[in-house]
Amino acid sequence: MEPGSRGAAPGGVSVSAVLPAGGSGERLGGATPKQFCALQGRPLVSYAVRAMERISWISDIIVVVSPENIETMKTIIEKYGHKRVTVVEGGITRHRSIFNGLKVFAENEFSSHLLQKPEVVIIHDAVRPFVEEDIVSKVVMAAKEHGAAGAIRPLVSTVIASAADGCLDHSLERARYRASEMPQAFLFDIIYEAYQQCTDYDLDYGTECLHLALKYCKTNAKLVEGTADLWKVTYKRDLYAAESVIKDNLSQQVCVITNGKETLAQVGFLLPESLKSQIKVEAITVPLSKNDSRLQNIISGQCYNFVCVNDKRCAIQEAQELADMLEKSNTPLLCPVVLISVHLDISENNSFSIGMEDLTTIKKFARETKKKNILVYGLLIQYKKFPLISYVFGYWYGAEVVWNGCLAQAKPQNPGCSWCRGCAWEETSFSQ
């Protein structure tokens, strides 16, 4: 589901999110706070916002930043096309910042207009960029039932306490304890009341929101086993690890673009269905348009793999338009973009061939876009009811195309032939 669309929240409750992003990044070192450090050319906080934004049933996303970074955050929101986001000035500590974020729903002086108070509010660190909808849904459901909930993970190291003289006092039995992670979720009235009753000591030195709900509202939080990707970027080595994960995620996402024609829409549906067990698929069935907000959101989200399905035999106009949009977005500057142009031949003719003029145009376009770090490949399909025969051709040697879980390795069939040099044909079958 595309960002900005609305789906049903778990349990039918209204949900919003507060992302504290006011840290100074002292443990990271360097002049730039970690939430604004660039990974693959994009600030870390933008990935966390994007993770929440992609969950359609989250109504509002509140990002709380230090006063000196408010304009920086607003620039990030505009540059990357974030929606449903409100920027709020943070306090001098984590708890004070979260409290300010909650006040947007309850107190006029913290926002130009009050946002609708949610039944459940999610609290999630802006430096935990890899949260998935499944764990968010679980903590929201648990919070609805128990009043508060939070993700946990097994402890990696044993926790010990030192005595005043610096020697070991005692150690904790690791199997009995868990590490508190994010996201956490609360019935809004419970966590807001807890913060209203907080002492200055809690606001200045506390770090655990679940503890506030227990201490001030007698609410025992439900603990939900989290996934391994909930870790927090804290040290410089974490930035390198996060960038590695982001690169891996980018290679596992593909955006499939089709228009509204029945035949194209059918193929556009079959392709994501066949691939979704292996990779993440964004499927949109709209004509290619630079004004389409859903496509722009996907491009701004730094998707690096696109499949464009059309029935204009050997026409590359749509591929050229998409390549232009990608170039203007500066996405290819960070990482190579793969663009697979799928052409459907729906004629009754059982045999077909590509003309020399068409082939020359395709090869020229491919060479030009390769210089811009956009790698163009093609898939030519003769569409019949049964079977569907696809001819795979790549514009460079070694092009690989996945179709219905079948990997077709394109390779030169006649390297000495001037007609097919630089492209390759291989026949592969696909049953509907």
Side-chain angles (χ1 to χ4, degrees), residues 32-58:
T32 304
K34 56 193 173 187
Q35 62 271 27
F36 298 114
C37 288
L39 300 179
Q40 288 295 104
R42 186 186 186 118
L44 181 62
V45 64
S46 181
Y47 289 101
V49 171
R50 177 71 171 172
M52 291 293 163
E53 194 176 38
R54 291 170 68 89
I55 303 175
S56 62
W57 40 264
I58 294 179

Side-chain angles (χ1 to χ4, degrees), residues 155-303:
L155 287 175
V156 175
S157 302
T158 299
V159 178
I160 62 174
S162 61
D165 61 359
C167 296
L168 176 67
D169 183 77
H170 67 277
S171 64
L172 301 179
E173 185 181 344
R174 189 171 64 182
R176 292 185 55 206
Y177 295 87
R178 294 291 182 269
S180 178
E181 306 287 356
M182 291 285 170
Q184 295 176 351
F186 306 83
L187 291 177
F188 181 87
D189 290 339
I190 286 177
I191 191 62
Y192 190 65
E193 180 184 346
Y195 271 104
Q196 284 180 308
Q197 296 184 39
C198 266
T199 64
D200 285 339
Y201 183 87
D202 284 324
L203 289 173
D204 290 338
Y205 298 102
T207 59
E208 180 53 70
C209 302
L210 298 178
H211 175 71
L212 298 183
L214 177 62
K215 181 177 180 179
Y216 292 105
C217 297
K218 303 296 187 287
T219 299
N220 285 303
K222 178 67 174 178
L223 304 181
V224 180
E225 195 68 32
T227 54
D229 55 4
L230 295 179
W231 52 277
K232 179 181 179 182
V233 174
T234 303
Y235 301 103
K236 185 170 289 186
R237 64 176 180 269
D238 297 327
L239 286 175
Y240 300 128
E243 187 161 45
S244 177
V245 172
I246 289 168
K247 286 181 179 180
D248 185 61
N249 287 343
L250 290 175
S251 69
Q252 295 298 310
Q253 297 179 28
V254 59
C255 172
V256 181
I257 304 169
T258 66
N259 63 29
K261 291 184 180 180
E262 181 179 355
T263 302
L264 301 185
Q266 186 178 12
V267 174
F269 170 79
L270 290 173
L271 179 57
E273 284 297 304
S274 65
L275 295 180
K276 68 182 182 182
S277 62
Q278 305 170 52
I279 59 178
K280 298 176 183 178
V281 179
E282 294 277 4
I284 53 176
T285 55
V286 294
L288 184 66
S289 170
K290 64 181 179 181
N291 298 319
D292 185 82
S293 60
R294 290 172 294 174
L295 181 56
Q296 289 290 353
N297 282 338
I298 290 172
I299 292 176
S300 67
Q302 291 187 314
C303 181

Side-chain angles (χ1 to χ4, degrees), residues 378-394:
L379 184 64
L380 179 58
I381 300 174
Q382 186 177 29
Y383 189 88
K384 300 295 178 186
K385 194 69 177 179
F386 292 102
L388 183 63
I389 302 298
S390 59
Y391 293 86
V392 181
F393 59 95

